[in-house]
Amino acid sequence: MPIPENARKYWRENIKYLTVLLIIWFAVSFGCGILFKDFLNRYSLGGFKLGFWFAQQGSIYVFVILIFVYIRLMNKLDKKYGYNEK
Amino acid sequence: MDVQIWTWLLVGVSFALYFGIAIWARAGSTKEFYVAGGGVSPLANGMATAADWMSAASFISMAGIISFAGYDGSVYLMGWTGGYVLLALLLAPYLRKFGKFTVPDFIGDRYYSNTARTVAVICALIVSFTYVAGQMRGVGIVFSQFLQVEITTGVVIGMAVVLVFAFLGGMKGITYTQVAQYCVLIFAFMVPAIFISIQMTGNIIPQIGMGGRVEDGTYLLQKLDNLHTQLGFKEYTEGTKSTWDVFAITLALMAGTAGLPHVIVRFFTVPNVKDARKSAGWALLLIAILYTTAPAVSVFARTNLIETVSNQEYSSLPEWFKNWENMGLIAWSDKNEDGKIQYVNGEATTGKPEFTDARGANGERIISNASSETNELYVDRDIMVLANPEIAQLPAWVIALVAAGGLAAALSTAAGLLLVISTSVSHDLIKKQLKPDISDKGELLAARISIFVAVVVAGIFGIYPPGFVAAVVALAFGLAAASFFPAIVLGIFDKRMNRQGAISGMIVGIILMLFYMIRFKTGLIGVLDPLPPSEWWFGTSPEGFGTVAMTVNVVISVIVSRLTPAPPEDVQDIVENIRIPSGAGEAHDH
């Protein structure tokens, strides 16, 4: 079965979204919370050292936001390519 | 009213609620039994997923572990929430579109092979059983501590309760009781946290209170870091693990979370792909409420503990200290004979404390295995959440609430896992391999029988916990990361991935992980038992090794698949089909 052009384009845009979202996912947790923690700890956010805050609070907030952004983007994408359902 | 009466009351009312729901939501067909009929709303599914996910370990142990590990505890916080991002973006929508009942279903069909299906079933059983044994034990401990019964009796009561709602309702019953259990457990976790946050920092939101100031105007975390430094501990916000190990453990926990069969199966219960995405979002939001509060609880509890006991006379300590000492979860040995508690860095005892019947000069319980280090105090990590309301002198009903919450957390997770086990047996083994012509009624009966057997086996593990279980539960994530996760993700995103690649990757991944676990955790292989951390490969702890095994799995899968023929046309069509969200409805029946 040849793949319809529509499906191919839909998939390509989907991959693009995933790449961007996963880069952010990696940056806040593994980046800010682990690899650059010591550097960020020189700054503070209220009573938190910044790196510590990312590791125990910030990354989790960003994760939640990422999924909801993904839901929105995909709902729009589904509509654009006619794949949406009620 | 005292704590005991409140406990019976709150536990009794919540249990009556669960039973009522279980009877109301009885399952009539295999579809209702396996995937709740496929008509669960995204919010309800999100709540059920959250309850399913947050086990006795999340509720009782996690805040305690973080409270002793400080920054190092971040691996659990990030690992167990970040996994949901992978789940939502890489797995849930596609598996929902695929629309069968189980993970082995997907592996078997996508890799057109019953061998692959069997490998997946075995992996699912190993992962689920190690996990469920820990839950039954948790149920036993909570029952025994709050209702003053033997742990064995506690486990048996727990078994009976799980059996009733899993047996009657299957996935449908479990889903709706889990919704109720989520409400109970989150309420029970938040109430004491809010109380203590107000008490210590004047802030009603624990997440903000954690970064707030205490009475004398210093920041709470600064104060805790100072206390730690004074007592010879590493600063709370710094941690002791190497950066690579923290990285590896976090990644293994994330991938493992996304690959756990009892979590994935929840996304088969919603009506369509759009709802699968939405319920992943709800699930993480609802989980995040507990996971961002837990580190705050850890900081409050740690500070409270140090301030209450450090350099205090034993005789002047509050009641809770002696209660937990009587249960054997706190131990103190007056090494310098000054009658005061010296709590500093170091192990107070060699291994778990061993109590003798004798009492010391101050009335403390004498332990026979005190170490030669200066530290005099042993505190079991698991009591931090349970004792926290008492330490902070909260009202009796709040203390009782924690018992009801702990039970809700343990029971909901146990029920979800038992369902995965029974489905693996009745659906993946009996229906798909041994007896394909079995009727719907027969399969339903088989599912109920296997759930009964699974409950009994899990209960026996809970009553007689084999030594390896505790060590292995944390590693269940490593196993899931090393086996399922790459096979599923590659199955969706790499159309060229074939049977040979996936099977060899899964087998090498899980064997490598098992080998490393056994080599470094149990000492069953080799001369030295268990090998010391200095021998770890590239400084990777067994908990973090899932990351290495997963990478090896991916590399092998890709290489082998490129050297062997491409998968057949119809399988490539399956892949094309699951990448498109619409039309998931009809895929449900098969």
Side-chain angles (χ1 to χ4, degrees), chain A residues 1-4 6-8 10-12 14-15 17-26 28-38 41 44-49 51-79 81-86, chain B residues 66 70-74 77-79 81-86 88-90 93-94 207-208 210-212 219 221-222 225 235-239 243-244 246-248 250-251 254 272-274 277-282 284-285 288 291-293 295-296 299 492-493 495 569 573 576-585:
Chain A
M1 179 179 80
I3 310 148
N6 200 34
R8 207 197 303 264
Y10 172 85
W11 186 246
R12 211 172 303 143
N14 176 23
I15 296 286
Y17 289 155
L18 290 184
T19 315
V20 174
L21 294 173
L22 287 176
I23 288 173
I24 301 173
W25 163 82
F26 186 87
V28 291
S29 51
F30 295 96
C32 302
I34 299 175
L35 299 173
F36 303 112
K37 174 202 74 153
D38 290 331
N41 272 352
S44 61
L45 183 79
F48 292 102
K49 291 180 184 169
F52 179 80
W53 181 79
F54 265 107
Q56 301 212 334
Q57 295 279 313
S59 57
I60 303 175
Y61 300 137
V62 177
F63 293 156
V64 175
I65 296 168
L66 281 179
I67 299 189
F68 282 97
V69 168
Y70 169 75
I71 295 169
R72 255 191 84 92
L73 288 175
M74 291 310 281
N75 284 348
K76 270 200 200 147
L77 197 64
D78 289 354
K79 275 207 195 93
Y81 288 93
Y83 292 135
N84 65 314
E85 292 178 317
K86 268 162 244 95
Chain B
I66 297 169
Y71 169 78
D72 288 342
S74 314
L77 295 167
M78 286 189 284
T81 53
Y84 276 84
V85 177
L86 297 178
L89 271 54
L90 302 179
Y94 311 106
Q207 287 85 341
I208 299 176
M210 179 185 175
Y219 282 117
L221 281 166
Q222 184 61 49
D225 274 348
E235 277 176 77
Y236 187 84
T237 53
E238 289 302 329
T243 303
W244 158 246
V246 171
F247 188 99
T250 308
L251 188 55
M254 284 187 184
N272 57 42
V273 173
K274 203 170 152 185
R277 293 183 200 129
K278 213 189 280 173
S279 75
W282 280 119
L284 183 61
L285 177 68
Y291 273 65
T292 52
T293 308
V299 171
I492 296 163
F493 289 86
K495 211 163 72 170
E569 272 301 290
D573 288 348
E576 285 306 331
N577 184 39
I578 58 174
R579 288 179 176 186
I580 290 162
S582 56

Side-chain angles (χ1 to χ4, degrees), chain B residues 499-562:
Chain B
R499 176 170 66 195
Q500 293 85 344
I503 296 179
S504 46
M506 273 198 290
I507 291 179
V508 173
I510 202 154
I511 288 180
L512 188 63
M513 184 65 206
L514 279 172
F515 167 78
Y516 198 82
M517 253 167 69
I518 294 169
R519 184 92 175 91
F520 289 92
K521 276 279 179 184
T522 65
L524 290 177
I525 309 176
V527 260
L528 275 172
D529 78 305
L531 279 179
S534 57
E535 297 291 316
W536 288 348
W537 301 355
F538 326 109
T540 316
S541 60
E543 288 78 7
F545 194 73
T547 297
V548 178
M550 174 172 75
T551 313
V552 171
N553 178 337
V554 172
V555 170
I556 288 188
S557 298
V558 171
I559 292 174
V560 172
S561 70
R562 294 311 186 268

Side-chain angles (χ1 to χ4, degrees), chain B residues 45-342:
Chain B
N45 190 49
M47 290 168 94
T49 309
D52 207 333
W53 173 241
M54 292 189 287
S55 58
S58 294
F59 188 90
I60 301 171
S61 312
M62 192 175 69
I65 291 172
I66 297 169
S67 148
F68 285 84
Y71 169 78
D72 288 342
S74 314
V75 296
Y76 302 110
L77 295 167
M78 286 189 284
W80 288 337
T81 53
Y84 276 84
V85 177
L86 297 178
L87 190 64
L89 271 54
L90 302 179
L91 305 178
Y94 311 106
L95 290 175
R96 174 61 196 85
K97 175 63 193 293
F98 175 71
K100 296 284 178 66
F101 291 153
T102 65
V103 173
D105 258 345
F106 175 77
I107 304 264
D109 286 11
R110 169 62 181 84
Y111 297 117
Y112 44 102
S113 144
N114 264 337
T115 315
R117 191 190 304 272
T118 311
V119 173
V121 171
I122 294 169
C123 296
L125 288 177
I126 295 178
V127 173
S128 304
F129 257 115
T130 49
Y131 218 93
V132 80
Q135 298 307 315
M136 295 313 281
R137 186 80 188 158
V139 173
I141 290 173
V142 176
F143 266 121
S144 70
Q145 282 178 1
F146 284 95
L147 304 177
Q148 251 88 100
V149 292
E150 289 281 308
I151 290 190
T152 309
T153 320
V155 173
V156 173
I157 300 176
M159 278 164 63
V161 174
V162 172
L163 199 58
V164 170
F165 50 71
F167 198 78
L168 279 178
M171 190 56 140
K172 197 174 165 206
I174 287 176
T175 301
Y176 291 105
T177 40
Q178 280 173 338
V179 170
Q181 282 160 340
Y182 175 78
C183 300
V184 172
L185 86 87
I186 202 71
F187 185 69
F189 198 83
M190 294 308 290
V191 167
I194 290 170
F195 265 104
I196 297 172
S197 180
I198 295 172
Q199 223 175 49
M200 292 184 70
T201 65
N203 202 315
I204 187 169
I205 302 166
Q207 287 85 341
I208 299 176
M210 179 185 175
R213 294 172 195 272
V214 289
E215 252 168 45
D216 62 6
T218 50
Y219 282 117
L220 176 61
L221 281 166
Q222 184 61 49
K223 180 179 167 189
L224 183 55
D225 274 348
N226 292 346
L227 283 173
H228 263 223
T229 315
Q230 280 166 26
L231 299 176
F233 295 103
K234 179 91 176 173
E235 277 176 77
Y236 187 84
T237 53
E238 289 302 329
T240 53
K241 284 185 174 30
S242 74
T243 303
W244 158 246
D245 205 25
V246 171
F247 188 99
I249 297 175
T250 308
L251 188 55
L253 291 177
M254 284 187 184
T257 299
L260 280 183
H262 74 286
V263 175
I264 293 178
V265 73
R266 295 238 48 106
F267 294 94
F268 297 120
T269 64
V270 293
N272 57 42
V273 173
K274 203 170 152 185
D275 286 338
R277 293 183 200 129
K278 213 189 280 173
S279 75
W282 280 119
L284 183 61
L285 177 68
L286 297 168
I287 290 166
I289 298 174
L290 189 142
Y291 273 65
T292 52
T293 308
V297 170
S298 312
V299 171
F300 301 148
R302 182 77 184 154
T303 314
N304 255 338
L305 175 76
I306 294 177
E307 291 203 311
T308 313
V309 303
S310 182
N311 268 320
Q312 302 296 317
E313 300 268 351
Y314 176 84
S315 50
S316 69
L317 287 175
E319 194 59 31
W320 60 263
F321 188 94
K322 283 152 203 173
N323 287 343
W324 289 102
E325 188 189 7
N326 287 335
M327 283 186 211
L329 295 169
I330 283 182
W332 174 60
S333 134
D334 194 7
K335 292 175 187 168
N336 62 353
E337 299 177 347
D338 65 349
K340 287 182 183 171
I341 290 170
Q342 267 76 43

